Amino acid sequence: MGLGLPFVVVAVAYRRALGAFGWVKRHYVWVMRAGGGMLVALGVLLLTGVWDTMMGSMQTWAQGFNVGI
């Protein structure tokens, strides 16, 4: 059951996932533009060094976080 459970979940969720993929297919141009815009924004952040500053702040903020498992 342990290894088979993910496959059962995927089989049950398959029908719902098809609806989501249909939405992406209908709005493909806008999805691609949004993805390209995010890549350009990330590239600008990397080139200017802002990305490193943001990641340093996030590492400091998340330093005391522990997983409860």
Side-chain angles (χ1 to χ4, degrees):
M1 187 68 180
L3 185 59
L5 187 61
F7 292 104
V8 171
V9 170
V10 168
V12 170
Y14 180 72
R15 198 69 149 139
R16 177 169 255 181
L18 285 177
F21 292 136
W23 183 89
V24 171
K25 285 172 74 173
R26 284 191 308 274
H27 298 93
Y28 181 74
V29 172
W30 290 105
V31 170
M32 291 296 291
R33 288 180 182 168
M38 287 189 283
L39 283 173
V40 169
L42 182 61
V44 169
L45 291 174
L46 285 169
L47 285 173
T48 59
V50 174
W51 183 259
D52 291 331
T53 305
M54 287 172 43
M55 289 301 109
S57 298
M58 290 179 74
Q59 286 173 350
T60 303
W61 173 75
Q63 190 172 13
F65 177 74
N66 291 326
V67 179
I69 296 177

